[in-house]
Amino acid sequence: MATDKRQFTLRIQDETYEKMRFLAYAERRSIAMEIETAMLAYIANYENLHGPIQLPETSEGE
């Protein structure tokens, strides 16, 4: 299945992983989607406090 999502390696403590696994199960999400949801909430909170994050423009293919 093709996706436009970037893959990367994430190293976290065992306890943090297990807590995310618990939350993912409780919310009926995969661990990856639970982490993505948490990241999006963090970004939204930051932008609410500081304004939108301005990303530099990139050329096609990057």
Side-chain angles (χ1 to χ4, degrees), residues 3 5 11-12 14 17-19 22 27 35 38 40 45-46 51 54 56:
T3 181
K5 293 185 178 185
R11 291 182 174 92
I12 57 176
D14 287 341
Y17 177 84
E18 291 301 325
K19 288 180 179 183
F22 174 87
E27 296 295 327
I35 291 169
L40 291 171
N45 183 57
Y46 180 94
Q54 299 298 317

Side-chain angles (χ1 to χ4, degrees), residues 9-61:
T9 301
L10 175 66
R11 291 182 174 92
I12 57 176
Q13 297 293 320
D14 287 341
E15 183 178 356
T16 303
Y17 177 84
E18 291 301 325
K19 288 180 179 183
M20 288 304 292
R21 189 170 70 89
F22 174 87
L23 294 171
Y25 179 81
E27 296 295 327
R28 296 182 179 200
R29 294 186 181 113
S30 67
I31 295 171
M33 280 306 302
E34 188 65 23
I35 291 169
E36 184 175 355
T37 300
M39 291 170 63
L40 291 171
Y42 179 83
I43 292 167
N45 183 57
Y46 180 94
E47 290 184 324
N48 283 335
L49 293 172
H50 304 284
I53 297 170
Q54 299 298 317
L55 300 177
E57 291 187 28
T58 59
S59 60
E60 288 287 320

